[in-house]
Amino acid sequence: MDFAKTQQERKLFASRLSVMTLVAATSIATNACLAMVLVGQSRTLIIPTIPSEVSIDAYGAADPLYLERFARDTSFLFLNRSPETLLYFQREAQKIMEPTAYQEMHKILVRDRQEAIRENRSQSWFPNDFYVDPKTMYVEIRGTVRIEQGGREVDAQSKVYALTFSKSGQLVRLKSFTEITPDEARGEKVKPVQSLTEG
């Protein structure tokens, strides 16, 4: 009697164990599928300064509008500087730049801050044209830099800057921020406007 009862309990236990194993395996498979879908899908970004929704696809190119606005905000951060805001700039630049790129930039920043304090110099940036190549993660910006010394404007120059970005999954970071000449510019929109002369 006891032997039959034990056998029956073992069968019941084995069937329950089989059901639980099946449920656990199904749960693990479902979670794995969900994780793959979530990692692969685009992340929609809603940023107040962008007029429409943009998305970052983990496996595709970055949205051109996102790159343009990232470049615009980066240019404001890099080029609107004064001795009082340079420490803030260094902290923010570290957040958006690749670590190796920031180490190189940090040396320049320290020197620039010392010169700006010594000369009581600040500068303002006014961008007006962009060229974006999302395939190569490259952006050019054309605009004007106004330099003030002791609260008085001493210079205004037209400038073109080239920015390169890197993308790892859904993370976009700044690789480089470089001043270039108009002749080096890739985009027609950032090349100097040619004035027409009447003959």
Side-chain angles (χ1 to χ4, degrees), residues 83 86-87 90 108-117:
L86 280 169
L87 289 176
Q90 288 180 28
I108 299 168
L109 297 176
V110 170
R111 187 180 68 237
D112 187 62
R113 181 171 187 267
Q114 291 168 345
E115 289 177 3
I117 291 171

Side-chain angles (χ1 to χ4, degrees), residues 3-67:
F3 179 73
K5 188 177 178 183
T6 304
Q7 285 293 94
Q8 192 176 12
E9 285 177 358
R10 281 185 184 170
K11 285 181 183 177
L12 184 62
F13 178 74
S15 64
R16 285 182 181 169
L17 185 61
S18 296
V19 169
M20 291 300 291
T21 303
L22 183 62
V23 168
T26 304
S27 176
I28 290 169
T30 303
N31 286 335
C33 289
L34 272 170
M36 289 175 65
V37 168
L38 289 174
V39 166
Q41 84 181 104
S42 297
R43 180 175 61 182
T44 300
L45 306 171
I46 301 171
I47 301 171
T49 57
I50 295 181
S52 60
E53 281 188 3
V54 299
S55 62
I56 300 279
D57 187 335
Y59 303 109
D63 189 301
L65 184 59
Y66 175 77
L67 280 180

